[in-house]
């Protein structure tokens, strides 16, 4: 496949590559995407993770959070796409990985340099004293702060909340310096995350996109190369090519 060769060539030549992922990369791990056919928002009303609804009805919201995020998603394991990206980072051929996902599968696959744009399910935050705690089962079963009895909330960005400053600052600084961005499994419709590939492109980076279907980035001509298909199939092949033939383009 010519595009795969071209993508590998861009990545071999790039001195600074960033990775940007969305829900699609975890679909092959059994986690549904948010939009489109079979998307979560088709089946579930998202108001349980809307901050005012959560504060008004914490028990009802927590019942859904527990069932969906901790019981169901909690079973998910990283897939070959997560492992391939971790390998690329370990080989020094990619730097910062910005993810919109809250499932922690990148870190579990071995990625270290990860900016979680929408937070993480791995931790809970006390809305009263601000304490951050590992999301152990006893706490997700009884989401009450052991220090002050305040209400605990997953440390993820709910609708109506601001984004974590550290991750967003890091990501928006990095887009000024990168030569290439690998964009994986995101519809490119959610602000401000969707600005990342756009700003990188504006600063001269080449955008390589992997998605089952065209996204906003494909449609708007942001992607220089579009590799259509499942991330779990394409990424291991792409990374193998980049690492096997390193140095052959000089
Ligand atoms: P979406 O659900 O909007 O998009 C998922 C994308 O993954 C789509 O473009 C699919 O075509 C693609 N896809 C599905 N399966 C794939 C596969 N096996 N391989 C490659 N691509 C595949 O998810 P996001 O763009 O991540 O925010 O959504 C962004 C944000 O919207 C989420 O972080 C979440 C949601 O509201 C918050 O929770 C704050």
């Amino acid at each position: 496949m010519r595009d795969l060769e071209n993508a590998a060539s861009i990545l071999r030549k790039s001195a600074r590559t960033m990775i940007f992922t969305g829900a699609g990369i975890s679909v092959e791990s059994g986690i549904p995407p948010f939009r489109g056919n079979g998307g979560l928002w088709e089946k579930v009303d998202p108001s349980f993770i809307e901050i005012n609804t959560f504060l008004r009805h914490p028990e009802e919201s927590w019942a859904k959070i527990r069932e969906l995020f901790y019981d169901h998603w909690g079973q998910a394991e990283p897939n070959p796409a997560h492992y391939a990206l971790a390998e690329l980072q370990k080989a020094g051929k990619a730097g910062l990985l910005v993810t919109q996902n809250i499932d922690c599968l990148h870190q579990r696959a071995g990625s270290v340099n990860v900016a979680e744009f929408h937070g993480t399910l791995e931790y809970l935050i006390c809305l009263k004293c601000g304490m951050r705690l590992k999301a152990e089962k006893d706490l997700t079963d009884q989401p009450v702060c052991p220090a002050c009895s305040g209400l605990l909330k997953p440390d993820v960005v709910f609708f109506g909340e601001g984004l974590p400053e550290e991750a967003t600052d890091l990501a928006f600084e990095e887009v000024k310096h990168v030569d290439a961005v690998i964009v994986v499994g995101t519809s490119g419709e959610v602000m401000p995350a969707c600005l990342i590939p756009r700003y990188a492109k504006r600063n001269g980076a080449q955008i390589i996109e992997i998605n089952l279907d065209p996204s906003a980035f494909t449609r708007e001509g942001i992607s220089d190369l579009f590799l259509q298909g499942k991330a779990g199939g394409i990424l291991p092949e792409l990374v193998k090519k980049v690492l096997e033939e390193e140095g052959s383009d000089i």
Side-chain angles (χ1 to χ4, degrees):
M1 186 159 101
R2 176 152 296 235
D3 280 350
L4 194 78
E5 295 286 350
N6 291 342
S9 170
I10 290 171
L11 295 174
R12 281 194 297 268
K13 288 175 188 157
S14 167
R16 199 153 166 170
T17 296
M18 178 182 187
I19 300 163
F20 178 65
T21 68
I25 197 167
S26 297
V27 166
E28 290 158 79
S29 294
I31 294 180
F34 294 97
R35 294 173 187 78
N37 270 348
L40 190 64
W41 299 153
E42 232 175 35
K43 290 177 251 167
V44 180
D45 175 358
S47 63
F48 72 103
I49 53 163
E50 194 272 313
I51 190 65
N52 289 325
T53 308
F54 176 78
L55 294 174
R56 273 199 307 271
H57 308 286
E59 278 179 28
E60 289 88 333
S61 289
W62 256 108
K64 285 219 177 93
I65 290 167
R66 208 174 285 123
E67 181 196 334
L68 207 71
F69 293 154
Y70 290 104
D71 295 346
H72 175 199
W73 293 21
Q75 311 287 323
E77 295 293 335
N79 69 55
H82 297 103
Y83 287 113
L85 291 177
E87 197 186 341
L88 197 67
Q89 285 185 303
K90 276 187 201 139
K93 290 307 295 170
L96 183 65
L97 188 160
V98 179
T99 187
Q100 299 163 87
N101 300 343
I102 55 178
D103 55 31
C104 213
L105 294 182
H106 285 299
Q107 291 93 328
R108 286 180 50 204
S111 279
V112 281
N113 196 2
V114 181
E116 293 172 308
F117 221 78
H118 293 157
T120 175
L121 287 170
E122 283 282 294
Y123 286 90
L124 303 173
I125 190 107
C126 173
L127 295 180
K128 197 167 161 194
C129 71
M131 187 188 267
R132 196 166 182 257
L133 299 139
K134 194 104 172 66
E136 305 291 358
K137 189 166 177 353
D138 58 330
L139 290 177
T140 58
D141 282 348
Q142 280 292 332
V144 174
C145 177
C148 75
S149 303
L151 174 64
L152 296 175
K153 168 190 163 292
D155 194 13
V156 305
V157 178
F158 279 22
F159 296 112
E161 286 191 302
L163 300 182
E165 241 175 69
E166 203 181 318
T168 52
D169 286 354
L170 204 61
F172 283 116
E173 181 56 33
E174 187 65 11
V175 292
K176 298 177 191 162
H177 308 288
V178 290
D179 303 313
V181 184
I182 307 171
V183 177
V184 189
T186 172
S187 58
E189 287 173 17
V190 173
M191 282 283 277
C194 68
L195 294 175
I196 288 174
R198 290 181 168 84
Y199 285 180
K201 169 98 176 174
R202 198 202 282 167
N203 290 328
Q206 288 192 278
I207 312 297
I208 297 165
E209 183 183 15
I210 294 148
N211 199 310
L212 213 45
D213 294 310
S215 71
F217 304 123
T218 338
R219 291 189 295 272
E220 292 167 27
I222 303 293
S223 302
D224 295 287
L225 280 176
F226 177 54
L227 307 179
Q228 186 160 16
K230 290 186 177 181
I234 293 175
L235 272 169
E237 255 191 273
L238 177 62
V239 169
K240 192 165 165 237
K241 259 187 197 310
V242 174
L243 300 185
E244 265 179 8
E245 292 161 36
E246 252 243 277
S248 64
D249 291 309
I250 301 162

